[in-house]
DNA sequence: TCTGGGGTCCTAGGACCC
DNA sequence: TCTGGGGTCCTAGGACCC
């Protein structure tokens, strides 16, 4: 982003989104300590907590069982991803009335480039309040809005505006606004980086801004350089540099599953890999992606986790090819019989289309494509359980797919909700 | 406390080629 | 004979985000 004529960026963040949506479906939840993400005795983490629950120390990403201990009277609610998608679409629609440049950063937050909309919508604070009101009347949901000259400043200020507020950081005031905040407030600075900075006596963003760029680069490489810019309110590094609304293609598609209880049952593990492979294949076909690299993820009881990848000669989007690699990688690396906590399958390294078809048997791939298209169609029509391409499921057993809100990107928030 | 699921980006080492 | 260095691809792991 250039400095010549400052951009006006809005960051719109829905307040306690999952909880608020659940309240619309069950108004009796209002005002109570509510935890969304699963039941109190389940393996899993909190996707969202109501403000009443947060008073007990419950927060996103915390194990459900811990939340139950902290707040025994909390009401535990399973997530409903389809509801969140539905409301996310409503949110998106409202935002579209305010700027053509809207970018949903996750289900419950978005960036808007409001540069040059003043003639239509008025000054930033005025349009933000109009947006806030329009959001409430269209969705019955509260949001908070941060306004700044960069994504970074808009995002940090929306966090400061919570709950249900609007905050505008005037052009030129970015460094002053950020200076007193803890370094952990900078998006991209997590626990590890925060500790490293604290160890150097750097606690606030202002401390960071006073350092020489070169020193930061020497100590932290590329990321150090970006950090120097961020401390002054600039969008530096990675995704932040993209223009708002710019379409970015997916880089990977993955599915993973944590078992309710660890299992060393080879047949069960195999059938889970099959199901995950089908889910990945399905999404590849929906998106029109062909993947060259397939990766297996394996987590044991003690949480040690390995990933093993393999790149194919020709990219694929077909279930059986994905499964073939996942299965091979699994049985080549699994300590046979060892209890497994999690399995995952990931596709990446996308290319635009399939390469050479099988010359010896040109009809083979085509037949598969056709069969899969038909299966996808049936699933669309009758639901996920209508059909399984899973062959050789001797146990006759499939792990049940249970709808978890966390399956949505942007489902939990470690901070700043 | 006992740790989900779906992503992105970065680093680092080794293979391989020139 | 000993010893380069750059570039690219692949793989593994980890920090971080929502």
């Amino acid at each position: 982003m250039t400095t010549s004529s400052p951009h006006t960026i809005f960051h719109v963040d829905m307040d306690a989104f999952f909880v608020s949506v659940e309240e619309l479906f069950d108004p009796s939840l209002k005002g109570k300590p509510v935890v969304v993400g699963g039941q109190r005795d389940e393996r899993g983490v909190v996707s969202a907590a109501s403000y009443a629950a947060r008073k007990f120390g419950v927060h996103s990403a915390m194990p459900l069982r811990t939340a139950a201990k902290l707040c025994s009277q909390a009401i535990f609610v399973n997530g409903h991803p389809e509801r969140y998608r539905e409301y996310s679409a409503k949110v998106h629609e409202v935002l579209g009335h305010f700027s053509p440049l809207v970018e949903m950063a996750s289900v419950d937050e978005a960036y808007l480039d409001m540069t040059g909309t003043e003639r239509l919508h008025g000054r930033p604070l005025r349009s933000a309040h109009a947006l806030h009101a329009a959001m409430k009347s269209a969705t019955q949901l509260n949001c908070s809005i941060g306004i700044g000259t960069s994504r970074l400043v808009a995002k940090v200020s929306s966090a400061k505006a919570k709950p249900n507020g609007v905050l505008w950081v005037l052009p030129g005031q970015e460094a002053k606004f950020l200076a007193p905040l803890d370094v952990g407030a900078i998006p991209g600075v997590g626990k590890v980086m925060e500790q490293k900075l604290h160890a150097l006596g750097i606690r606030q963003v202002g401390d960071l801004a006073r350092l020489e760029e070169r020193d930061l680069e020497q100590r932290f490489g590329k990321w150090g350089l970006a950090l120097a810019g961020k401390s002054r309110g600039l969008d530096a590094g990675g995704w932040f540099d993209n223009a708002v609304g710019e379409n970015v293609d997916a880089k990977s598609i993955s599915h993973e599953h944590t078992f309710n209880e660890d299992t060393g049952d080879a047949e069960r593990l195999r059938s889970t890999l099959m199901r995950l492979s089908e889910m990945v294949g399905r999404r590849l076909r929906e998106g029109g992606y062909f993947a060259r690299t397939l990766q297996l993820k394996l987590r044991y009881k003690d949480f040690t986790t390995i990933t093993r990848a393999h790149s194919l000669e020709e990219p694929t989007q077909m279930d059986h090819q994905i499964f073939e690699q996942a299965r091979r990688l699994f049985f080549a690396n699994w300590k046979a019989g060892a209890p497994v906590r999690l399995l995952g399958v990931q596709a990446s390294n996308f290319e635009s289309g399939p390469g050479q078809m099988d010359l010896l048997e040109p009809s083979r791939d085509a037949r598969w494509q056709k069969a899969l298209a038909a299966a996808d169609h049936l699933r669309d029509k009758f639901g996920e359980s209508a059909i399984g391409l899973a062959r050789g499921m001797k146990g006759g057993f499939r792990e049940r797919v249970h709808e978890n809100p966390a399956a949505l990107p942007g489902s939990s928030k470690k901070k700043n909700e």
Side-chain angles (χ1 to χ4, degrees):
Chain A
M1 232 145 260
T2 57
T3 47
S4 48
S5 106
H7 285 251
T8 305
I9 308 294
F10 280 19
H11 181 251
V12 180
D13 202 339
M14 307 306 293
D15 293 343
F17 183 61
F18 293 175
V19 173
S20 305
V21 172
E22 294 303 333
E23 284 173 359
L24 294 180
F25 285 84
D26 178 3
S28 78
L29 294 175
K30 271 194 187 145
K32 293 183 185 153
V34 175
V35 172
V36 178
Q39 295 307 306
R40 60 203 322 132
D41 57 343
E42 279 178 351
R43 219 175 216 186
V45 298
V46 176
S47 286
S50 69
Y51 287 98
R54 293 181 204 185
K55 287 195 180 142
F56 292 84
V58 177
H59 58 79
S60 304
M62 169 184 279
L64 291 167
R65 295 184 228 239
T66 308
K69 275 176 192 149
L70 286 176
C71 183
S72 58
Q73 66 270 53
I75 302 168
F76 285 77
V77 180
N78 289 333
H80 298 93
E82 68 293 344
R83 294 180 182 173
Y84 312 143
R85 274 191 291 265
E86 176 193 338
Y87 273 83
S88 186
K90 290 186 190 187
V91 166
H92 194 164
E93 203 207 319
V94 172
L95 299 177
H97 295 314
F98 288 82
S99 171
L101 295 176
V102 177
E103 182 177 318
M104 294 301 291
S106 70
V107 263
D108 71 335
E109 68 178 293
Y111 290 92
L112 275 71
D113 190 340
M114 296 291 286
T115 312
T117 65
E118 293 208 354
R119 268 219 331 223
L120 203 58
H121 297 294
R123 302 279 290 155
L125 268 187
R126 187 184 154 85
S127 53
H129 280 108
L131 167 50
H132 189 273
M135 187 65 74
K136 183 74 174 182
S137 80
T139 66
Q140 302 171 262
L141 297 171
N142 290 333
C143 64
S144 297
I145 304 173
I147 309 167
T149 53
S150 63
R151 286 180 188 257
L152 177 111
V153 170
K155 173 141 183 74
V156 175
S157 67
S158 77
K160 278 275 162 198
K162 280 187 175 298
N164 204 22
V166 173
L167 181 61
W168 183 20
V169 177
L170 294 167
Q173 300 299 301
E174 293 82 5
K176 203 171 155 191
F177 164 68
L178 295 170
L181 304 179
D182 190 280
V183 287
I186 296 177
V189 177
K191 269 207 171 71
V192 174
M193 192 64 189
E194 188 175 24
Q195 284 311 307
K196 283 184 191 167
L197 291 171
H198 281 181
L200 295 171
I202 305 164
R203 307 197 76 87
Q204 296 176 338
V205 181
D207 302 333
L208 208 48
R210 274 191 290 278
L211 298 177
E212 289 292 330
E213 272 193 7
R214 296 201 355 258
D215 295 344
L216 278 168
E217 188 178 13
Q218 251 184 358
R219 214 177 268 278
F220 298 114
K222 211 169 172 176
W223 174 237
L225 202 56
L227 215 44
K230 286 171 193 289
S231 70
R232 297 167 175 83
L234 302 173
D235 285 333
W239 167 86
F240 269 89
D241 282 334
N242 292 341
V244 171
E246 196 177 311
N247 229 8
V248 195
D249 282 334
K251 301 232 164 37
S252 69
I253 287 175
S254 66
H255 284 280
E256 59 186 60
H257 178 69
T258 297
F259 296 97
N260 282 326
E261 283 144 14
D262 305 327
T263 177
D265 176 350
E267 187 49 37
R268 184 167 178 201
L269 293 163
R270 213 188 71 95
S271 67
T272 300
L273 278 181
M274 171 89 72
R275 179 172 57 79
L276 293 169
S277 300
E278 287 173 4
M279 292 164 73
V280 168
R282 176 109 212 258
R283 301 240 337 261
L284 288 173
R285 293 189 293 281
E286 276 170 6
Y289 298 112
F290 291 80
R292 270 221 317 123
T293 305
L294 298 165
Q295 186 191 252
L296 168 84
K297 183 167 164 182
L298 169 55
R299 172 129 73 212
Y300 290 106
K301 195 167 90 180
D302 67 356
F303 227 74
T304 56
T305 308
I306 62 163
T307 58
R308 291 293 178 268
H310 177 73
S311 292
L312 304 164
E313 287 290 307
E314 298 297 341
T316 187
Q317 55 175 190
M318 292 195 284
D319 297 356
H320 70 286
Q321 287 183 346
I322 298 164
F323 174 62
E324 166 60 19
Q325 294 309 319
R327 188 195 56 75
R328 218 180 36 76
L329 290 167
F330 175 74
F331 285 104
N333 291 282
W334 180 43
K335 290 177 260 169
V340 172
R341 180 189 176 94
L342 169 148
L343 285 178
V345 175
Q346 187 202 58
S348 62
N349 204 353
F350 297 154
E351 288 180 8
S352 54
Q356 280 300 92
M357 293 267 211
D358 188 341
L359 290 174
L360 292 175
E361 209 185 332
S363 61
R364 208 168 129 256
D365 283 329
R367 281 208 313 273
W368 264 108
Q369 301 267 21
K370 228 175 150 180
L372 288 170
D376 288 348
H377 179 71
L378 277 177
R379 286 204 186 94
D380 283 340
K381 215 165 164 184
F382 301 111
E384 226 29 69
S385 60
I387 185 165
L389 287 177
R391 296 143 1 259
M393 312 239 337
K394 292 171 201 128
F397 166 81
R398 345 185 82 203
E399 210 29 47
R400 195 172 137 56
V401 190
H402 92 172
E403 284 276 290
N404 185 323
L408 288 165
S411 57
S412 76
K413 330 194 93 187
K414 292 195 168 102
K415 48 186 183 179
N416 297 341
E417 185 159 342

